[in-house]
Amino acid sequence: MNDAKKSAIAKLAKMGLTEEEVLALFEEEEEEEEETIVAEDGESSGSESKSWQQLVMEEHVGYYNKRYNTNLTFDEYYEGVVNERIEVHYNWKQMLGLEEPAVIPVDPDVKTEKFIKNGN
């Protein structure tokens, strides 16, 4: 056991935690650090990372499957969206960087003093 853990155990023991409770905290932390992503083929990769866009679409496929009582995989959902066989409520072209977001013009009559005054 390294010195940091020994020190933490001693300090937390003074606060009323047992050594087992403190060690359990360290085990939970180590488990979170060792999280891996398992692909559909069962292969796992600790170095694989996903873009926020993929994470959003993965969340949406879950909602889609539940709402329409289907069992689409992420790839099937993605293909359906980009080939426009599946209609979605979000602008997937902007989300994937295939289309520039619409520019909203600033109203020249807006009263900015109240925003500047309040720090917004």
Side-chain angles (χ1 to χ4, degrees):
M1 184 179 309
N2 67 27
D3 291 336
K5 284 187 181 179
K6 288 179 186 176
S7 174
I9 290 170
K11 289 177 183 174
L12 292 171
K14 289 179 184 176
M15 295 171 55
L17 291 175
T18 66
E19 184 174 343
E20 290 80 23
E21 292 171 323
V22 174
L23 291 175
L25 293 173
F26 281 107
E27 288 171 7
E28 288 174 10
E29 183 179 293
E30 289 170 0
E31 287 173 7
E32 290 173 6
E33 290 174 3
E34 295 173 4
E35 183 177 327
T36 58
I37 297 170
V38 178
E40 284 187 44
D41 61 2
E43 296 293 319
S44 64
S45 169
S47 63
E48 181 182 342
S49 64
K50 298 179 181 182
S51 67
W52 67 267
Q53 293 93 336
Q54 182 175 352
L55 294 172
V56 167
M57 288 186 81
E58 284 179 352
E59 186 175 340
H60 281 275
V61 72
Y63 298 142
Y64 184 88
N65 282 336
K66 190 172 187 176
R67 181 175 187 177
Y68 295 105
N69 198 27
T70 61
N71 196 22
L72 297 178
T73 65
F74 173 76
D75 291 332
E76 292 168 331
Y77 176 77
Y78 178 84
E79 289 297 319
V81 170
V82 298
N83 292 320
E84 299 180 354
R85 290 189 304 268
I86 296 175
E87 190 175 323
V88 293
H89 68 280
Y90 55 92
N91 189 329
W92 62 270
K93 289 180 183 178
Q94 284 182 7
M95 188 175 81
L96 297 178
L98 302 174
E99 187 177 277
E100 289 295 320
V103 177
I104 301 171
V106 177
D107 182 357
D109 297 327
V110 71
K111 305 272 190 257
T112 58
E113 299 83 35
K114 66 179 178 181
F115 295 105
I116 294 170
K117 180 179 173 186
N118 294 314
N120 293 333

PDB file of all heavy atoms in Angstrom, residues 7-27:
ATOM      1  N   SER A   7      -1.991   7.469   4.278  1.00  0.00           N
ATOM      2  CA  SER A   7      -2.330   8.774   4.821  1.00  0.00           C
ATOM      3  C   SER A   7      -3.842   9.005   4.765  1.00  0.00           C
ATOM      4  O   SER A   7      -4.440   9.508   5.715  1.00  0.00           O
ATOM      5  CB  SER A   7      -1.594   9.867   4.037  1.00  0.00           C
ATOM      6  OG  SER A   7      -2.012  11.132   4.455  1.00  0.00           O
ATOM      7  N   ALA A   8      -4.457   8.644   3.647  1.00  0.00           N
ATOM      8  CA  ALA A   8      -5.897   8.815   3.498  1.00  0.00           C
ATOM      9  C   ALA A   8      -6.649   7.974   4.510  1.00  0.00           C
ATOM     10  O   ALA A   8      -7.625   8.422   5.117  1.00  0.00           O
ATOM     11  CB  ALA A   8      -6.325   8.456   2.077  1.00  0.00           C
ATOM     12  N   ILE A   9      -6.194   6.726   4.713  1.00  0.00           N
ATOM     13  CA  ILE A   9      -6.843   5.840   5.682  1.00  0.00           C
ATOM     14  C   ILE A   9      -6.766   6.446   7.077  1.00  0.00           C
ATOM     15  O   ILE A   9      -7.755   6.471   7.814  1.00  0.00           O
ATOM     16  CB  ILE A   9      -6.214   4.432   5.643  1.00  0.00           C
ATOM     17  CG1 ILE A   9      -6.583   3.745   4.329  1.00  0.00           C
ATOM     18  CG2 ILE A   9      -6.663   3.600   6.836  1.00  0.00           C
ATOM     19  CD1 ILE A   9      -5.830   2.457   4.075  1.00  0.00           C
ATOM     20  N   ALA A  10      -5.602   6.963   7.424  1.00  0.00           N
ATOM     21  CA  ALA A  10      -5.423   7.554   8.752  1.00  0.00           C
ATOM     22  C   ALA A  10      -6.330   8.766   8.939  1.00  0.00           C
ATOM     23  O   ALA A  10      -6.992   8.919   9.973  1.00  0.00           O
ATOM     24  CB  ALA A  10      -3.961   7.943   8.949  1.00  0.00           C
ATOM     25  N   LYS A  11      -6.378   9.642   7.944  1.00  0.00           N
ATOM     26  CA  LYS A  11      -7.202  10.848   8.059  1.00  0.00           C
ATOM     27  C   LYS A  11      -8.689  10.515   8.100  1.00  0.00           C
ATOM     28  O   LYS A  11      -9.442  11.089   8.886  1.00  0.00           O
ATOM     29  CB  LYS A  11      -6.899  11.792   6.902  1.00  0.00           C
ATOM     30  CG  LYS A  11      -5.538  12.445   7.007  1.00  0.00           C
ATOM     31  CD  LYS A  11      -5.246  13.321   5.816  1.00  0.00           C
ATOM     32  CE  LYS A  11      -3.838  13.906   5.930  1.00  0.00           C
ATOM     33  NZ  LYS A  11      -3.459  14.651   4.744  1.00  0.00           N
ATOM     34  N   LEU A  12      -9.114   9.582   7.250  1.00  0.00           N
ATOM     35  CA  LEU A  12     -10.528   9.228   7.219  1.00  0.00           C
ATOM     36  C   LEU A  12     -10.926   8.422   8.454  1.00  0.00           C
ATOM     37  O   LEU A  12     -12.077   8.478   8.888  1.00  0.00           O
ATOM     38  CB  LEU A  12     -10.860   8.470   5.932  1.00  0.00           C
ATOM     39  CG  LEU A  12     -10.758   9.331   4.667  1.00  0.00           C
ATOM     40  CD1 LEU A  12     -10.872   8.475   3.418  1.00  0.00           C
ATOM     41  CD2 LEU A  12     -11.817  10.417   4.651  1.00  0.00           C
ATOM     42  N   ALA A  13      -9.986   7.676   9.023  1.00  0.00           N
ATOM     43  CA  ALA A  13     -10.263   6.950  10.271  1.00  0.00           C
ATOM     44  C   ALA A  13     -10.576   7.938  11.385  1.00  0.00           C
ATOM     45  O   ALA A  13     -11.447   7.688  12.225  1.00  0.00           O
ATOM     46  CB  ALA A  13      -9.082   6.056  10.639  1.00  0.00           C
ATOM     47  N   LYS A  14      -9.866   9.071  11.391  1.00  0.00           N
ATOM     48  CA  LYS A  14     -10.140  10.104  12.399  1.00  0.00           C
ATOM     49  C   LYS A  14     -11.547  10.670  12.231  1.00  0.00           C
ATOM     50  O   LYS A  14     -12.142  11.161  13.186  1.00  0.00           O
ATOM     51  CB  LYS A  14      -9.113  11.236  12.293  1.00  0.00           C
ATOM     52  CG  LYS A  14      -7.727  10.851  12.752  1.00  0.00           C
ATOM     53  CD  LYS A  14      -6.770  12.013  12.599  1.00  0.00           C
ATOM     54  CE  LYS A  14      -5.353  11.605  12.958  1.00  0.00           C
ATOM     55  NZ  LYS A  14      -4.391  12.687  12.737  1.00  0.00           N
ATOM     56  N   MET A  15     -12.063  10.602  11.003  1.00  0.00           N
ATOM     57  CA  MET A  15     -13.409  11.119  10.732  1.00  0.00           C
ATOM     58  C   MET A  15     -14.475  10.057  10.989  1.00  0.00           C
ATOM     59  O   MET A  15     -15.659  10.303  10.795  1.00  0.00           O
ATOM     60  CB  MET A  15     -13.487  11.598   9.280  1.00  0.00           C
ATOM     61  CG  MET A  15     -12.579  12.778   8.994  1.00  0.00           C
ATOM     62  SD  MET A  15     -12.451  13.224   7.252  1.00  0.00           S
ATOM     63  CE  MET A  15     -14.118  13.467   6.775  1.00  0.00           C
ATOM     64  N   GLY A  16     -14.051   8.852  11.380  1.00  0.00           N
ATOM     65  CA  GLY A  16     -15.019   7.822  11.743  1.00  0.00           C
ATOM     66  C   GLY A  16     -15.199   6.703  10.745  1.00  0.00           C
ATOM     67  O   GLY A  16     -15.994   5.804  10.965  1.00  0.00           O
ATOM     68  N   LEU A  17     -14.493   6.720   9.625  1.00  0.00           N
ATOM     69  CA  LEU A  17     -14.609   5.642   8.648  1.00  0.00           C
ATOM     70  C   LEU A  17     -13.681   4.499   9.023  1.00  0.00           C
ATOM     71  O   LEU A  17     -12.583   4.709   9.522  1.00  0.00           O
ATOM     72  CB  LEU A  17     -14.242   6.137   7.242  1.00  0.00           C
ATOM     73  CG  LEU A  17     -15.206   7.122   6.595  1.00  0.00           C
ATOM     74  CD1 LEU A  17     -14.656   7.614   5.275  1.00  0.00           C
ATOM     75  CD2 LEU A  17     -16.565   6.491   6.375  1.00  0.00           C
ATOM     76  N   THR A  18     -14.121   3.278   8.744  1.00  0.00           N
ATOM     77  CA  THR A  18     -13.273   2.119   9.000  1.00  0.00           C
ATOM     78  C   THR A  18     -12.304   1.941   7.850  1.00  0.00           C
ATOM     79  O   THR A  18     -12.492   2.505   6.755  1.00  0.00           O
ATOM     80  CB  THR A  18     -14.114   0.836   9.137  1.00  0.00           C
ATOM     81  OG1 THR A  18     -14.713   0.563   7.863  1.00  0.00           O
ATOM     82  CG2 THR A  18     -15.168   0.964  10.214  1.00  0.00           C
ATOM     83  N   GLU A  19     -11.279   1.147   8.055  1.00  0.00           N
ATOM     84  CA  GLU A  19     -10.293   0.875   6.993  1.00  0.00           C
ATOM     85  C   GLU A  19     -10.967   0.222   5.789  1.00  0.00           C
ATOM     86  O   GLU A  19     -10.659   0.547   4.642  1.00  0.00           O
ATOM     87  CB  GLU A  19      -9.172  -0.019   7.525  1.00  0.00           C
ATOM     88  CG  GLU A  19      -8.079  -0.265   6.511  1.00  0.00           C
ATOM     89  CD  GLU A  19      -6.893  -1.033   7.073  1.00  0.00           C
ATOM     90  OE1 GLU A  19      -6.745  -1.106   8.305  1.00  0.00           O
ATOM     91  OE2 GLU A  19      -6.124  -1.542   6.258  1.00  0.00           O
ATOM     92  N   GLU A  20     -11.935  -0.668   6.031  1.00  0.00           N
ATOM     93  CA  GLU A  20     -12.643  -1.339   4.938  1.00  0.00           C
ATOM     94  C   GLU A  20     -13.424  -0.331   4.088  1.00  0.00           C
ATOM     95  O   GLU A  20     -13.451  -0.420   2.867  1.00  0.00           O
ATOM     96  CB  GLU A  20     -13.602  -2.413   5.489  1.00  0.00           C
ATOM     97  CG  GLU A  20     -12.901  -3.610   6.084  1.00  0.00           C
ATOM     98  CD  GLU A  20     -12.386  -3.367   7.511  1.00  0.00           C
ATOM     99  OE1 GLU A  20     -12.915  -2.468   8.212  1.00  0.00           O
ATOM    100  OE2 GLU A  20     -11.439  -4.058   7.906  1.00  0.00           O
ATOM    101  N   GLU A  21     -14.073   0.638   4.754  1.00  0.00           N
ATOM    102  CA  GLU A  21     -14.834   1.656   4.019  1.00  0.00           C
ATOM    103  C   GLU A  21     -13.906   2.511   3.159  1.00  0.00           C
ATOM    104  O   GLU A  21     -14.224   2.829   2.004  1.00  0.00           O
ATOM    105  CB  GLU A  21     -15.613   2.547   4.991  1.00  0.00           C
ATOM    106  CG  GLU A  21     -16.743   1.825   5.698  1.00  0.00           C
ATOM    107  CD  GLU A  21     -17.352   2.646   6.813  1.00  0.00           C
ATOM    108  OE1 GLU A  21     -16.615   3.373   7.517  1.00  0.00           O
ATOM    109  OE2 GLU A  21     -18.584   2.555   6.983  1.00  0.00           O
ATOM    110  N   VAL A  22     -12.749   2.855   3.703  1.00  0.00           N
ATOM    111  CA  VAL A  22     -11.792   3.666   2.951  1.00  0.00           C
ATOM    112  C   VAL A  22     -11.260   2.878   1.760  1.00  0.00           C
ATOM    113  O   VAL A  22     -11.195   3.389   0.644  1.00  0.00           O
ATOM    114  CB  VAL A  22     -10.635   4.138   3.862  1.00  0.00           C
ATOM    115  CG1 VAL A  22      -9.578   4.854   3.046  1.00  0.00           C
ATOM    116  CG2 VAL A  22     -11.156   5.028   4.961  1.00  0.00           C
ATOM    117  N   LEU A  23     -10.894   1.624   1.972  1.00  0.00           N
ATOM    118  CA  LEU A  23     -10.370   0.795   0.878  1.00  0.00           C
ATOM    119  C   LEU A  23     -11.433   0.580  -0.202  1.00  0.00           C
ATOM    120  O   LEU A  23     -11.115   0.523  -1.388  1.00  0.00           O
ATOM    121  CB  LEU A  23      -9.851  -0.533   1.419  1.00  0.00           C
ATOM    122  CG  LEU A  23      -8.589  -0.439   2.276  1.00  0.00           C
ATOM    123  CD1 LEU A  23      -8.243  -1.795   2.866  1.00  0.00           C
ATOM    124  CD2 LEU A  23      -7.420   0.113   1.477  1.00  0.00           C
ATOM    125  N   ALA A  24     -12.705   0.479   0.201  1.00  0.00           N
ATOM    126  CA  ALA A  24     -13.783   0.343  -0.770  1.00  0.00           C
ATOM    127  C   ALA A  24     -13.858   1.573  -1.664  1.00  0.00           C
ATOM    128  O   ALA A  24     -14.108   1.462  -2.863  1.00  0.00           O
ATOM    129  CB  ALA A  24     -15.109   0.109  -0.059  1.00  0.00           C
ATOM    130  N   LEU A  25     -13.604   2.755  -1.105  1.00  0.00           N
ATOM    131  CA  LEU A  25     -13.597   3.975  -1.913  1.00  0.00           C
ATOM    132  C   LEU A  25     -12.501   3.917  -2.960  1.00  0.00           C
ATOM    133  O   LEU A  25     -12.696   4.298  -4.102  1.00  0.00           O
ATOM    134  CB  LEU A  25     -13.410   5.212  -1.025  1.00  0.00           C
ATOM    135  CG  LEU A  25     -14.540   5.548  -0.063  1.00  0.00           C
ATOM    136  CD1 LEU A  25     -14.126   6.684   0.857  1.00  0.00           C
ATOM    137  CD2 LEU A  25     -15.794   5.918  -0.835  1.00  0.00           C
ATOM    138  N   PHE A  26     -11.323   3.433  -2.551  1.00  0.00           N
ATOM    139  CA  PHE A  26     -10.220   3.314  -3.506  1.00  0.00           C
ATOM    140  C   PHE A  26     -10.541   2.292  -4.586  1.00  0.00           C
ATOM    141  O   PHE A  26     -10.228   2.494  -5.750  1.00  0.00           O
ATOM    142  CB  PHE A  26      -8.913   2.922  -2.793  1.00  0.00           C
ATOM    143  CG  PHE A  26      -8.238   4.066  -2.102  1.00  0.00           C
ATOM    144  CD1 PHE A  26      -8.248   4.159  -0.719  1.00  0.00           C
ATOM    145  CD2 PHE A  26      -7.611   5.053  -2.826  1.00  0.00           C
ATOM    146  CE1 PHE A  26      -7.626   5.214  -0.072  1.00  0.00           C
ATOM    147  CE2 PHE A  26      -6.995   6.124  -2.193  1.00  0.00           C
ATOM    148  CZ  PHE A  26      -6.996   6.195  -0.811  1.00  0.00           C
ATOM    149  N   GLU A  27     -11.189   1.188  -4.239  1.00  0.00           N
ATOM    150  CA  GLU A  27     -11.538   0.164  -5.219  1.00  0.00           C
ATOM    151  C   GLU A  27     -12.528   0.706  -6.231  1.00  0.00           C
ATOM    152  O   GLU A  27     -12.403   0.457  -7.418  1.00  0.00           O
ATOM    153  CB  GLU A  27     -12.102  -1.061  -4.502  1.00  0.00           C
ATOM    154  CG  GLU A  27     -11.055  -1.855  -3.750  1.00  0.00           C
ATOM    155  CD  GLU A  27     -11.661  -2.942  -2.872  1.00  0.00           C
ATOM    156  OE1 GLU A  27     -12.887  -3.179  -2.946  1.00  0.00           O
ATOM    157  OE2 GLU A  27     -10.893  -3.548  -2.110  1.00  0.00           O
TER     158      GLU A  27
END
